[in-house]
Amino acid sequence: MGEVWDCQASLWSGLYVSSGKVPASAASRLHGVEEVFVFGLAASEVLRENLGRILGKAAHRIQTVPPAAEKIPATDYQCRQLQAIGIEAMPPPPAVIAPAAEEVSRVAEYIKTTLAARQRLVLIHPGSGGLQKLWHPSGWQAVIRELSSYAHLRLGLLWGPADRKIIGLLQPMLQQIHLLTMENWPLGRVAALLKKATLYLGNDSGITHLAAACGVPTIAIFGPTDPRIWGPRGPRVKIITRKEVSPAYESATHISLPSTEPPAETEQVLQQAEKWLGFH
């Protein structure tokens, strides 16, 4: 039976210093471990060395990011390293997410009581864990305003604790347009909901990767990160690259809304959305 431990717990602090040690209670937890794989950058080499020494077992570090010259998906690069040491590894096929039956049932009931007959659900996640990855609020405003004008569409807004600032900027418009709100939903329930959606739009974020893996048509708006390495993978994914870094997110400590003019790529986002929705 597998176990999950919090790597930030003080119990494991000795693993992160050169020639570090861990208390006997921690060492006993490691009893029975046959092999170690540390996924991380060069700084995590000390973790690999300590685990290998303490266990007296083989320990491997899998570099998570490909070299600058190799523009390949990070998952492919990691699998290639595993294969080099004899571990059979292939990137997962598209649309492999299977939410728990309980969450599927909850979402089915939610859809039944919330959407009118023949209404289609469009999900939007305007947030991301990195502020530099956020699309300008005026872009989201234009997309939400346009898609909400279709009577047979129902828009749903996904957001969590990391998204409060962008939601705050969108709030004046959200008060005028009635959107469904899914705040702090557990990931299993979000996945079940994504499988019921007709379309998803989001930034470079974990939820966007989840949407792509669930098989929903996914529009991902990328900024500073390279989509060739970090782009979501799924059967129907369209990546649209921002033309320029939004001035709204240059500072990690302050977000403002300096312009209401939608960014240049807004039309491309809307065209792709309307194409997948069958509007043209």
Side-chain angles (χ1 to χ4, degrees), residues 96-105 107 187-196 210 214:
V96 296
I97 301 297
E102 178 185 358
E103 298 293 13
V104 172
S105 296
V107 164
L187 285 178
R189 198 170 307 162
V190 170
L193 185 69
L194 286 164
K195 282 183 166 289
K196 292 292 186 181
L210 180 62
C214 283

Side-chain angles (χ1 to χ4, degrees), residues 21 105 153:
K21 299 178 180 180
S105 296
L153 294 183

Side-chain angles (χ1 to χ4, degrees), residues 20 30 61 244:
L30 297 172
R61 182 175 67 85
E244 59 184 22

Side-chain angles (χ1 to χ4, degrees), residues 1-74:
M1 185 73 177
E3 293 184 54
V4 177
W5 302 317
D6 182 1
C7 65
Q8 296 182 336
S10 59
L11 189 70
W12 307 108
S13 59
L15 294 175
Y16 299 92
V17 295
S18 182
S19 301
K21 299 178 180 180
V22 295
S25 57
S28 65
R29 289 193 188 187
L30 297 172
H31 179 71
V33 172
E34 296 181 2
E35 204 161 10
V36 175
F37 298 89
V38 175
F39 287 75
L41 302 177
S44 61
E45 182 65 19
V46 65
L47 176 61
R48 183 203 66 80
E49 292 175 352
N50 284 331
L51 284 169
R53 173 177 49 80
I54 292 170
L55 290 166
K57 304 282 186 179
H60 310 277
R61 182 175 67 85
I62 306 302
Q63 178 77 12
T64 50
V65 182
E70 294 195 56
K71 303 299 184 182
I72 62 173

Side-chain angles (χ1 to χ4, degrees), residues 2 9 11 20 39 56 92 117 121 153 159 176 182 206 208 224 245 256 274 280:
L11 189 70
F39 287 75
L121 179 64
L153 294 183
W159 68 285
Q176 302 170 15
M182 298 82 182
T208 298
V245 176
S256 60
E274 291 171 346
H280 64 71

Side-chain angles (χ1 to χ4, degrees), residues 97-119:
I97 301 297
E102 178 185 358
E103 298 293 13
V104 172
S105 296
R106 286 188 177 185
V107 164
E109 183 62 25
Y110 178 81
I111 294 291
K112 180 180 177 181
T113 57
T114 306
L115 267 64
R118 298 184 181 180
Q119 268 192 327

